[in-house]
Each structure stands twice: as C-alpha cells, then as structure tokens.
Amino acid sequence: MFKVSIDGISVEVEPGTSILNAARQIGGDIVPPAMCYYSKLEGSGGKCRTCLVKVSKGSEKDPRPMPKLVASCRTTVMDGMEVQNITSPEVIEARKGVVEMLLLNHPLDCPVCDQAGECHLQDLGFEHGAAKTRYEFDRRTFERIDIGDKIQLHMTRCILCYRCVYTADQITNQRVHGVLNRGDHSEISTYIQKAVDNDFSGNVIDVCPVGALTDRTFRFKNRVWFTKPVEAHRDCEHEKCSGKVTLWYKGEDVLRVTARKDQYGEVEEFICNTCRFDKKKTSDWVIEGPRKVSNQSVINSNHYDTLMPLPVVKKNLVLQEANKEQFERETRL
C-alpha cells in the first residue's frame, strides 16, 4: 500500500491508483473536479484539465516536487507523495483559467438547456468562473442535428470530453460517431445523420457532462428541479442491461428514465434503450424509494424523503373550506 497526502489528509491506496481516485477515497471538497474522466470508461481522462493539482513532493525516495501542475486523473500516486489541491493558490488560479477556456465557445444556454440543474460545467462556472470573458473573437457555432431517433446533438455546447466516444466504443457493438476534423474545427458527429442506432446508444446522454447530447423524448418538457427522482428496477430481457434506473416524476407521469448515478455524476450501471425510452409507466417498474439527492443540488429543493409526502398543513376543515372559497373567487376573477 502507498501512503499519499492530499491537502494535508493522508490515505493509503493501492499502487497504480490515480491521484483523483485517491482523493475520492478521502471525499469532501478536496476531490478535484473532472469533466472528462469516467471511472467506468477505460482510457478516459486527460482532456479537460479541470483536475489539475500540484505535487509538492514526488515520493519518499525522490522528494523533488513536479515542476508543473499535473492532471490528477492521469497521474498515479507514489509512496510518500504530497499533493495540494484547494490549498494551493496556483491550482485555483489555473483551474479558473481552464474554466474560462472551456467557456470560450460555450453558449449561455442555461435558461433553456435541459442539462441545467445537473450540469457539471454550471457548477464549475459558478465556483471558478470569471464574471467576464477576455475572448473577443467570434465563437464557433453548429446547427443542432439528430444523431439518432431519440438523441439530439447540440455541438455548440460540447467541450470535447470524449466520454460519448468511449461509451460507444466500449459498451455498444459498433461505434458510428466520433471526433471529426482537427484543432478548432474538431466536432463530435457522424457522417450520416440519424446513424446512431443500437441497444445502448442512450447512455451517451447520461455520460455527457454538459447539454450537448440530450434526450429528444424529454427535451423542453420540464426542469429537473420540478421533478421527483425515484429509484426503481425491472427484470430486463437484455443480458447486458442492469434494469436499475432513476424515474423522474412530474405528478404521476414519468417524464424520463435515466441510469443511476453516483455522487460524482458517473453512471453506476448502464441501461438499454428499452428501459430508457419505452418503459415510462409506473406499472413497468418495481419502485424502491426516493432517490437520495445532495443538499447542495438544486434538485433537492423539491425532493422528499417518503413516497407519500406529508401535508404541509394538517387537516383543518375550516381552513380547507376557506381555501376552496378563495380559489373559486380567484378563478372567477
């Protein structure tokens, strides 16, 4: 076991563990943000640079610090290593610059974007983003395209994290989309529109950290903080599908179905398109209970701890009658 210190907190981890995963074992605010790394996807990480940290001591054998900030998702720990994240002003300043870079071409779509309320770029922008941009040139823009009958691609919002490419590569039979062109002209796309069609294509929506890939069946239907997330499962016929999902309710209607995610926004187990798009009735599922939502999430504003929420006001016939009369009077007006 290697012993590593992150922001003064020590933890013992297995050799080969990345700094990011070592920080996740500690938890809390010292965990660097990650927009491209995905523990379930082999080869992911190293694209967004939001997880930069400072290695102030390389190891017990070689205590020299690393000369530059390193990506914690791609740098493995050494025995005796000391790492600074939120305790380093250099890291905070660099992360602020990375967020500004990610937002160069990103549109201010938050008021109309379906990802609003569960967007990691929103969180980063709020925490590290500057009030104004120094970018004075024209931003690159793309037309929205449908890359499948259930998936819409809004490339203008994409930050090229490659998650959807790795997902299609590793959990589907054939990947038909990828990164086209090079440099500033790079984009996620297919050569033929509506070409993405396989049993697990919907998972690219879940892994996207921004609103670039959206569910067409849920698009513009509701805000996530007005919905009630409930965990459920079913015995799916597909052998690779876990059948464990989160149902997003508005009243008695299931507006969308997503895979369950952990505290870092990563899918716990991938689900098939049948569970995601075709099973939107409560009778199709075995309800387990409300989804636990972080107190820091805006979704928590409408969350509840029981399936039958307790009434705000206790039963009071006089008050109920008065409320009814008031409602009828306002309706007439």
Side-chain angles (χ1 to χ4, degrees), residues 172-198:
T172 65
N173 296 328
Q174 185 179 17
R175 174 171 65 85
V176 294
H177 80 285
V179 180
L180 308 184
N181 306 319
R182 301 179 69 182
D184 191 46
H185 297 282
S186 299
E187 61 174 301
I188 300 288
S189 188
T190 61
Y191 280 108
I192 304 174
Q193 286 191 19
K194 299 186 178 180
V196 178
D197 183 22
N198 58 68

Side-chain angles (χ1 to χ4, degrees), residues 255-271:
L255 296 185
R256 69 168 178 166
V257 180
T258 64
R260 298 182 188 179
K261 295 184 179 182
D262 60 20
Q263 60 180 318
Y264 302 112
E266 295 185 7
V267 171
E268 295 175 359
E269 295 179 85
F270 294 107
I271 61 173

Side-chain angles (χ1 to χ4, degrees), residues 91-132:
V91 170
I92 300 300
E93 190 63 26
R95 194 165 291 156
K96 184 178 179 180
V98 170
V99 173
E100 185 179 4
M101 193 75 179
L102 290 176
L103 293 173
L104 284 187
N105 293 299
H106 197 82
L108 189 60
D109 278 357
C110 299
V112 297
C113 180
D114 283 325
Q115 193 78 0
E118 52 184 1
C119 176
H120 295 175
L121 191 57
Q122 261 187 331
D123 299 335
L124 272 178
F126 178 78
E127 187 173 355
H128 301 287
K132 294 182 179 179

Side-chain angles (χ1 to χ4, degrees), residues 5 26 90 323 326:
S5 173
I26 298 174
E90 186 181 353
N323 286 339
Q326 179 71 16

Side-chain angles (χ1 to χ4, degrees), residues 11-248:
V11 63
E12 292 187 353
V13 297
E14 295 286 341
T17 304
S18 66
I19 296 175
L20 176 61
N21 284 326
R24 287 184 174 183
Q25 290 188 27
I26 298 174
D29 293 336
I30 72 166
V31 181
M35 297 293 290
C36 63
Y37 175 75
Y38 217 77
S39 60
K40 312 294 187 302
L41 301 175
E42 186 179 344
S44 64
K47 309 291 190 304
C48 70
R49 319 307 285 184
T50 58
C51 66
L52 291 175
V53 294
K54 181 179 181 180
V55 178
S56 55
K57 179 181 177 182
S59 66
E60 213 54 71
K61 293 182 178 179
D62 185 2
R64 292 177 300 173
M66 291 189 179
K68 295 182 179 180
L69 303 183
V70 298
S72 60
C73 64
R74 304 294 284 175
T75 307
T76 55
V77 301
M78 299 297 291
D79 193 24
M81 177 181 280
E82 293 181 4
V83 180
Q84 293 179 347
N85 180 25
I86 59 176
T87 57
S88 169
E90 186 181 353
V91 170
I92 300 300
E93 190 63 26
R95 194 165 291 156
K96 184 178 179 180
V98 170
V99 173
E100 185 179 4
M101 193 75 179
L102 290 176
L103 293 173
L104 284 187
N105 293 299
H106 197 82
L108 189 60
D109 278 357
C110 299
V112 297
C113 180
D114 283 325
Q115 193 78 0
E118 52 184 1
C119 176
H120 295 175
L121 191 57
Q122 261 187 331
D123 299 335
L124 272 178
F126 178 78
E127 187 173 355
H128 301 287
K132 294 182 179 179
T133 179
R134 293 174 289 174
Y135 192 68
E136 298 177 351
F137 303 98
D138 292 336
R139 301 188 178 198
R140 64 174 194 168
T141 58
F142 298 87
E143 294 293 328
R144 292 190 294 268
I145 61 172
D146 297 330
I147 60 172
D149 62 332
K150 300 287 197 305
I151 306 170
Q152 186 168 91
L153 171 64
H154 200 322
M155 184 59 211
T156 309
R157 301 171 181 166
C158 180
I159 60 171
L160 291 174
C161 69
Y162 284 69
R163 282 183 179 182
C164 61
V165 179
Y166 286 121
T167 301
D169 236 356
Q170 296 174 26
I171 70 168
T172 65
N173 296 328
Q174 185 179 17
R175 174 171 65 85
V176 294
H177 80 285
V179 180
L180 308 184
N181 306 319
R182 301 179 69 182
D184 191 46
H185 297 282
S186 299
E187 61 174 301
I188 300 288
S189 188
T190 61
Y191 280 108
I192 304 174
Q193 286 191 19
K194 299 186 178 180
V196 178
D197 183 22
N198 58 68
D199 292 341
F200 284 82
S201 62
N203 288 286
V204 299
I205 300 171
D206 281 341
V207 301
C208 183
V210 293
L213 291 164
T214 53
D215 181 353
R216 290 182 63 195
T217 65
F218 178 68
R219 193 171 173 84
F220 301 134
K221 281 193 174 181
N222 217 302
R223 288 303 203 179
V224 291
W225 55 85
F226 292 139
T227 59
K228 309 290 186 182
V230 174
E231 290 188 347
H233 69 270
R234 64 183 288 267
D235 293 327
C236 183
E237 299 79 14
H238 203 294
E239 58 180 9
K240 294 183 179 180
C241 177
S242 67
K244 298 177 181 179
V245 303
T246 300
L247 305 179
W248 298 80

